[in-house]
Amino acid sequence: AQTVTQSQPEMSVQEAETVTLSCTYDTSESDYYLFWYKQPPSRQMILVIRQEAYKQQNATENRFSVNFQKAAKSFSLKISDSQLGDAAMYFCAYIAYGGATNKLIFGTGTLLAVQP
Amino acid sequence: DGGITQSPKYLFRKEGQNVTLSCEQNLNHDAMYWYRQDPGQGLRLIYYSQIVNDFQKGDIAEGYSVSREKKESFPLTVTSAQKNPTAFYLCASSTGRSSYNSPLHFGNGTRLTVT
């Protein structure tokens, strides 16, 4: 069975600094997608970044980038120049390519605090 | 603006009562989902529906029921059979099966408290 593990329940970063959130997953599939979602205090889930497993190039969205290591089954999120608005719960998620549904498997989340 | 509306934001019920959570979307999405969020457990899938008049159980469907009579609406009923109903409930939708190009869009959630 596929699983997603986020081993850091809480993280803290100083404003303007860089922080990396860890995510590992377990799957026997060769083709799949990975996502990072952000849940601020409003509790709205917001898609931050996504990665296709067959693409070796790491995805980047402005200050957000990933380090995708397929062999190690690792998908970490790097936030550069951290801002107060980045404070949120971050969820890593996985789905197999061609799955019957859009059934995402989520990790347990990492709560990120940004210190001014 | 298109989006997903969940109502109410906070809901309080007495134990033993059924309660229905509303979810409406105007994104013209085919697929809709209900997730439950508990502290330290991430999001767990309760039910999902890919088309009108059809739905499937997710990982934790026991004690819940849904209907999908209209494309725009996917209400979730928390029945008295659900042993631990107090949680935060999130509704989501997507255009369909292709997951990368049609990621989930989420509503703002409903916090249900049962005492």
Side-chain angles (χ1 to χ4, degrees):
Chain A
Q2 296 97 349
T3 57
V4 176
T5 301
Q6 293 179 250
S7 59
Q8 306 155 315
E10 296 181 15
M11 292 280 285
S12 182
V13 64
Q14 290 291 130
E15 200 175 359
E17 297 292 307
T18 295
V19 65
T20 298
L21 308 184
S22 300
C23 173
T24 58
Y25 56 94
D26 187 24
T27 183
S28 57
E29 303 286 340
S30 60
D31 212 357
Y32 47 86
Y33 306 121
L34 296 162
F35 304 83
W36 277 98
Y37 278 87
K38 169 184 177 181
Q39 187 180 44
S42 68
R43 305 204 76 169
Q44 171 85 51
M45 292 284 282
I46 303 164
L47 178 65
V48 174
I49 199 165
R50 50 188 160 174
Q51 174 83 37
E52 295 168 277
Y54 70 85
K55 285 189 177 178
Q56 293 190 349
Q57 185 173 5
N58 290 324
T60 299
E61 290 284 346
N62 300 315
R63 297 181 296 107
F64 299 87
S65 61
V66 299
N67 183 4
F68 174 49
Q69 302 288 329
K70 191 172 184 179
K73 296 180 182 175
S74 171
F75 183 61
S76 60
L77 174 69
K78 186 171 84 171
I79 306 174
S80 304
D81 186 25
S82 296
Q83 301 175 359
L84 294 177
D86 295 333
M89 181 73 86
Y90 287 82
F91 292 97
C92 179
Y94 159 98
I95 189 168
Y97 174 79
T101 72
N102 219 0
K103 185 179 170 181
L104 284 174
I105 298 171
F106 287 88
T108 53
T110 296
L111 182 62
L112 177 66
V114 180
Q115 308 299 330
Chain B
D1 288 338
I4 301 176
T5 301
Q6 288 187 244
S7 60
K9 188 172 182 179
Y10 298 98
L11 192 53
F12 298 89
R13 280 294 182 270
K14 294 289 187 185
E15 192 173 330
Q17 293 179 336
N18 291 354
V19 59
T20 297
L21 282 60
S22 169
C23 178
E24 304 278 332
Q25 55 100 358
N26 60 3
L27 299 166
N28 199 32
H29 284 172
D30 289 313
M32 297 187 74
Y33 309 79
W34 274 105
Y35 283 88
R36 170 178 171 142
Q37 184 177 10
D38 295 283
Q41 295 197 47
L43 279 70
R44 294 181 291 168
L45 183 64
I46 305 172
Y47 266 98
Y48 61 96
S49 167
Q50 293 180 265
I51 55 173
V52 175
N53 292 322
D54 186 47
F55 48 83
Q56 287 81 40
K57 293 181 179 180
D59 300 318
I60 55 164
E62 185 176 350
Y64 299 98
S65 66
V66 294
S67 62
R68 186 84 187 277
E69 297 176 2
K70 299 186 299 182
K71 189 175 185 178
E72 304 80 19
S73 179
F74 191 42
L76 173 74
T77 297
V78 184
T79 75
S80 57
Q82 167 50 232
K83 292 187 174 63
N84 187 18
T86 295
F88 186 67
Y89 292 87
L90 280 162
C91 179
S93 70
S94 69
T95 56
R97 288 181 55 174
S98 174
S99 54
Y100 183 82
N101 291 319
S102 61
L104 294 180
H105 294 256
F106 286 86
N108 286 333
T110 292
R111 173 68 184 176
L112 172 65
T113 302
V114 177
T115 57

